[in-house]
Amino acid sequence: MIKKRYVRNRKGREVLNIWPSFTDLMANAFMIISLFLLLALFKSSLVKDSAEATEKNQSQAEKQVSLLQSQIKHLKSAPPIVVIQDSGEYQFESGSAGLSKELKDYITNNLVNKIERISQQKNLYVVEIIGHTDGQVNFGGLSNLDEQLEEVAKGKKHIDSLKPGSNADLGLMRALEVVKQLQKVQQQTAQLKGVQFRAYSAAQLQLPSGEFAEANRQPDANRRRIEIRFSPLGKAETIK
C-alpha cells in the first residue's frame, strides 16, 4: 500500500505530496522490469547453449554415421580372405609341407578359379599365401632353410629337402608349396595371367580371429590353416 505523505504549504495547511510515492512506484517498476529482463537474458542464454550443444551433438553423430558408412563401403569392396583349413582331406602330414593329392586337386580345380575371379573383379594382382600352425613345439631339429630355401622356391630342389626347425619354418614351407602349385598351373595354362604370388609364415602367432594367440602347446586343427589374401600391386616407398 502506498503511504500518503503530506507537507505543509506556506499557509500552514497540509497538502498531499505524491512525488515520493511516484518515485517509489517507478523504482519498484524498474526493479520488476530489470528482473524480467534478466530472466529473459538467462533464458536466451540457456536456449543458445542448448542449440549449440544440439548442433555439436548432431555434428558428432553425422561424423559417426559417415565413418560407419565408410567402413561398410570398405567391407563391401574389400576382397574376401580364402581359408584352407588343415583338416580332413586337405590336411598336411605332421611336420611336413608336402601337398596331398586331394589338396593338389583342390588348388588346381577350385582355388585357381576362385583366385582368378576375385583378382579380375577387384583389379588385384598380388596374392599372399600365409601359412599358420598351431602352438605345438616343432622338434624338427636344425633348420636348413637358410641354406636351401631359394633353390626349392626356384624348383631346383623338392620341398622334402627342407628341414623345419620351428613353426615359422613349417608355415613358410607350406605356404611356399601352395604357391609353387599355383605357379605350375599359371605356367601350364592361360589362367592367373598377371597374378603375382607371395609366400609368408605366421607360425603359431595369430588365431583365426586375427588376435595374437596365447601360449598353447596342444594340437588344434582350427589354428592350422592356409590363408589366401588379395592386395593391389602398390609402388614401394623406401625409407632411409
Side-chain angles (χ1 to χ4, degrees), residues 67-77:
L67 178 61
L68 289 174
Q69 290 176 340
S70 177
Q71 291 176 343
I72 292 173
K73 183 179 179 181
H74 173 72
L75 289 175
K76 287 182 177 180
S77 62

Side-chain angles (χ1 to χ4, degrees), residues 1-225:
M1 180 180 294
I2 301 174
K3 295 181 180 181
K4 296 180 180 180
R5 300 181 183 181
Y6 295 87
V7 296
R8 292 183 183 272
N9 60 12
R10 293 179 180 179
K11 295 181 179 182
R13 295 178 181 178
E14 289 184 349
V15 295
L16 181 63
N17 184 1
I18 65 172
W19 292 110
S21 299
F22 180 76
T23 302
D24 291 342
L25 180 62
M26 291 301 294
N28 291 335
F30 178 76
M31 291 178 62
I32 293 172
I33 293 173
S34 298
L35 178 60
F36 277 112
L37 181 60
L38 288 174
L39 289 174
L41 291 174
F42 180 70
K43 183 177 180 181
S44 176
S45 177
L46 288 178
V47 171
K48 182 180 179 181
D49 291 343
S50 178
E52 290 178 352
T54 301
E55 184 178 354
K56 183 178 180 181
N57 291 335
Q58 182 179 359
S59 177
Q60 291 178 347
E62 290 176 351
K63 288 181 180 180
Q64 291 178 350
V65 170
S66 178
L67 178 61
L68 289 174
Q69 290 176 340
S70 177
Q71 291 176 343
I72 292 173
K73 183 179 179 181
H74 173 72
L75 289 175
K76 287 182 177 180
S77 62
I81 299 173
V82 181
V83 179
I84 304 176
Q85 202 67 44
D86 184 32
S87 58
E89 58 184 347
Y90 302 140
Q91 186 173 6
F92 287 94
E93 292 186 11
S94 179
S96 171
L99 302 179
S100 64
K101 181 181 182 303
E102 292 78 11
L103 185 51
K104 282 185 179 180
D105 291 342
Y106 172 79
I107 294 172
T108 303
N109 301 322
N110 298 89
L111 183 60
V112 167
N113 295 330
K114 187 172 294 187
I115 290 175
E116 188 168 49
R117 182 175 67 253
I118 295 173
S119 298
Q120 291 175 349
Q121 289 176 351
K122 303 297 181 179
N123 195 28
L124 302 168
Y125 302 99
V126 176
V127 180
E128 300 172 346
I129 311 297
I130 307 169
H132 296 262
T133 70
D134 58 20
Q136 295 183 88
V137 177
N138 189 296
F139 295 104
L142 186 63
S143 170
N144 68 348
L145 268 68
D146 288 349
E147 300 171 352
Q148 301 188 25
L149 184 62
E150 296 87 349
E151 293 183 344
V152 173
K154 292 294 185 180
K156 297 179 180 180
K157 289 189 176 181
H158 193 268
I159 193 70
D160 290 341
S161 66
L162 294 179
K163 296 180 180 179
S166 66
N167 283 325
D169 288 349
L170 184 60
L172 180 58
M173 289 167 54
R174 289 174 174 176
L176 177 60
E177 191 66 0
V178 173
V179 167
K180 287 172 60 62
Q181 183 64 24
L182 289 168
Q183 289 177 332
K184 181 179 179 180
V185 175
Q186 189 179 44
Q187 293 168 0
Q188 295 177 351
T189 69
Q191 292 180 286
L192 304 176
K193 186 177 180 180
V195 178
Q196 297 185 22
F197 298 99
R198 304 284 188 271
Y200 301 108
S201 173
Q204 73 270 31
L205 185 60
Q206 288 184 318
L207 297 173
S209 64
E211 298 176 316
F212 286 152
E214 299 289 344
N216 183 355
R217 305 309 172 205
Q218 300 301 315
D220 188 349
N222 292 324
R223 293 175 59 184
R224 298 193 299 267
R225 64 199 186 278

